[in-house]
Amino acid sequence: MKILYYGGQKSGKSLLAEQKALSLAGNKKPYYIATYDNSYGDSEMLERIEQHQSQRKEAFITMEENKNLSSVIEDGRTYLIDCMSMWLLNTLDNEIENLMEELELLAKKEANIVFVLNDVSSGVIPLESMSRKYVDRSGIVGQKLAQLCDEVYEVKLGLENKLK
């Protein structure tokens, strides 16, 4: 099963996605794929990561992969990818076709995968070209994930709304 949780910053999507991954995993420990590339040197992001880690406690097996997600996913297991927005940032130099191929590979995996994606598309069109590219790709990747996933949830204020 493939599931997408989509929402704004601090909407509660990660917590809901964690709960879903745990329920899908049954009595097996699910994997948490952390996509943040720690080379940016952002201390605020490190605080956010620590908050997520304390929220997860020991319920997940954590692995880090910031680009080649399909390479670490094995059939028959459950994975939470948190988050696709960081993956997009890490792959901004890749051709969009390569990103679509990676999403197709993920969809073909015989594993439960819960995706988390930030909603960055509700604001104004950014003036700076790199930011525009990121926002555009986020929308394109979000549409592709929504198409490929069995279930899609929009999250606001800690509440999930099933879209698909």
Side-chain angles (χ1 to χ4, degrees):
M1 174 158 289
K2 310 299 185 287
I3 300 170
L4 172 62
Y5 279 85
Y6 177 76
Q9 276 181 234
K10 298 296 182 187
S11 62
K13 62 191 173 301
S14 289
L15 179 59
L16 291 168
E18 288 172 14
Q19 292 168 354
K20 181 63 87 171
L22 288 167
S23 71
L24 289 172
N27 57 2
K28 292 183 181 177
K29 205 179 232 190
Y31 290 83
Y32 182 101
I33 301 177
T35 59
Y36 182 68
D37 179 351
N38 204 12
S39 67
Y40 299 111
D42 185 336
S43 60
E44 181 189 340
M45 279 302 294
L46 293 177
E47 287 177 26
R48 286 173 181 250
I49 290 167
E50 288 173 7
Q51 181 183 6
H52 279 266
Q53 289 170 337
S54 67
Q55 180 176 290
R56 289 193 312 271
K57 297 187 172 65
E58 299 297 319
F60 288 82
I61 299 167
T62 301
M63 53 194 335
E64 295 183 17
E65 178 55 53
N66 57 26
K67 292 184 180 172
N68 301 312
L69 301 174
S70 63
S71 70
V72 297
I73 293 181
E74 298 177 16
D75 291 346
R77 300 184 184 235
T78 299
Y79 296 86
L80 169 60
I81 302 177
D82 197 359
C83 74
M84 296 302 287
S85 299
M86 285 294 127
W87 174 76
L88 273 170
L89 185 62
N90 300 333
T91 58
L92 213 48
D93 291 334
N94 294 18
E95 295 296 324
I96 190 70
E97 294 79 16
N98 294 345
L99 302 184
M100 295 298 110
E101 288 173 15
E102 179 70 3
L103 296 179
E104 290 285 348
L105 287 172
L106 290 168
K108 290 176 184 173
K109 295 285 185 174
E110 294 293 325
N112 295 318
I113 305 175
V114 180
F115 300 93
V116 175
L117 177 66
N118 288 330
D119 177 4
V120 297
S121 65
S122 297
V124 298
I125 297 171
L127 293 175
E128 195 267 320
S129 65
M130 190 65 76
S131 297
R132 248 188 337 271
K133 181 179 181 180
Y134 178 82
V135 171
D136 288 350
R137 284 185 173 209
S138 181
I140 293 165
V141 164
Q143 288 181 56
K144 185 67 170 180
L145 280 172
Q147 173 196 3
L148 296 172
C149 285
D150 303 295
E151 296 178 4
V152 178
Y153 296 91
E154 180 182 32
V155 181
K156 291 183 179 185
L157 305 171
L159 303 171
E160 63 186 20
N161 181 31
K162 187 173 185 179
L163 303 176
K164 178 181 174 185

